[in-house]
Amino acid sequence: QALYGKIVLAQLGELWSKYGQLAEIWFDGDCTTVPGISQQIAELQVTLQPHAIAFQGCSNNQNNIRWVGTESGEPGYPLWSTAQDCAFGQGSPTGNVFCPAETDTVLAAFDTWFWRPGVPLRSLSDLQQVYYDSVGQNTNLLLNVAPNRTGTVDVEAADLYAQYGSWIAGCFSSQPLLQTSGEGTVFYVSSDTPVTFNHIVISEDQTHGEAVTEFFVAATLLDGITTVLSGQSIGNKLIRPVQP
């Protein structure tokens, strides 16, 4: 075990020092390989990759993110940016560490991370729901890519990725019809002419942490009916599709 620990540190030292700045470092489960090594790994990361995000990392540093607790792509709600000691799951509004969640899931219809012949893919509508439940509920989405035995991505999978990207861009790349922002507890937005919309997107400024623990949205429509959207966590982004 002691020798294995040395090998782990040597391998991480090579990976973290010879391939430029990394965006994210992933620990599948945690980084406790042998007793006492976690602190050494944490110190090595601070030295070699201080700006990299650490998924289920070795210390409660400011760069940690946590596993959302499921690989289905459809975590529960509410999802908080804070958690107790970076524990995986939905988090807690009273957590002691700011470590937003990451939703990791697969393109395959089953929990299959690696390429296998004949495994069907998820439908576009299923992936759309994944987007609402992950990005639209205050988490980062990590969607796998599984190359086949030739090192390429199957055409069917590549086409589905392209459709998914086009749907996301079509829904969320344009400017909103109506928007408001500011500081306080109540916000109003109005239009001189009727508008038709199909999504409500709310974002919270988390510069000083996650503060909103409950919210309420009301929209007065042409027929006078008021639809209500309410919830608890907002965090980086909350997206809710609505029917016109």
Side-chain angles (χ1 to χ4, degrees), residues 87-99:
F88 69 82
Q90 292 180 220
S92 167
T94 59
N96 62 351
V97 180
F98 188 87
C99 54

Side-chain angles (χ1 to χ4, degrees), residues 80-187:
W80 304 98
S81 297
T82 51
Q84 193 68 27
D85 297 327
C86 292
F88 69 82
Q90 292 180 220
S92 167
T94 59
N96 62 351
V97 180
F98 188 87
C99 54
E102 179 169 86
T103 300
D104 57 310
T105 192
V106 296
L107 194 73
F110 309 108
D111 189 18
T112 304
W113 285 90
F114 299 98
W115 179 86
R116 293 180 184 174
V119 174
L121 303 179
R122 298 170 94 149
S123 66
L124 180 59
S125 61
D126 184 18
L127 291 174
Q128 290 169 348
Q129 188 60 51
V130 166
Y131 191 86
Y132 291 132
D133 290 341
S134 57
V135 177
Q137 291 191 155
N138 190 34
T139 84
N140 182 57
L141 172 60
L142 190 155
L143 182 62
N144 85 312
V145 176
N148 57 35
R149 290 171 183 162
T150 68
T152 61
V153 175
D154 287 349
V155 173
E156 183 183 9
D159 288 344
L160 184 54
Y161 286 123
Q163 294 175 43
Y164 196 29
S166 296
W167 173 78
I168 294 170
C171 286
F172 306 109
S173 293
S174 59
Q175 289 296 314
L177 293 174
L178 299 171
Q179 61 182 333
T180 185
S181 63
E183 296 181 359
T185 57
V186 181
F187 305 94

Side-chain angles (χ1 to χ4, degrees), residues 199-228:
H199 287 88
I200 295 175
V201 181
I202 310 173
S203 294
E204 179 182 355
D205 181 0
Q206 298 186 101
T207 304
H208 302 291
E210 187 175 17
V212 177
T213 57
E214 187 176 13
F215 69 91
F216 179 95
V217 177
T220 303
L221 306 180
L222 289 174
D223 56 6
I225 298 175
T226 301
T227 59
V228 175

Side-chain angles (χ1 to χ4, degrees), residues 52-95:
I53 297 299
F55 178 87
Q56 292 297 140
C58 294
S59 64
N60 293 344
N61 64 41
Q62 62 182 358
N63 289 353
N64 268 6
I65 59 175
R66 70 182 193 277
W67 179 43
V68 77
T70 176
E71 293 184 352
S72 68
E74 300 177 358
Y77 179 84
L79 281 163
W80 304 98
S81 297
T82 51
Q84 193 68 27
D85 297 327
C86 292
F88 69 82
Q90 292 180 220
S92 167
T94 59

Side-chain angles (χ1 to χ4, degrees), residues 227-239:
T227 59
V228 175
L229 168 65
S230 61
Q232 294 172 273
S233 64
I234 295 176
N236 179 65
K237 188 176 294 182
L238 182 87
I239 302 173

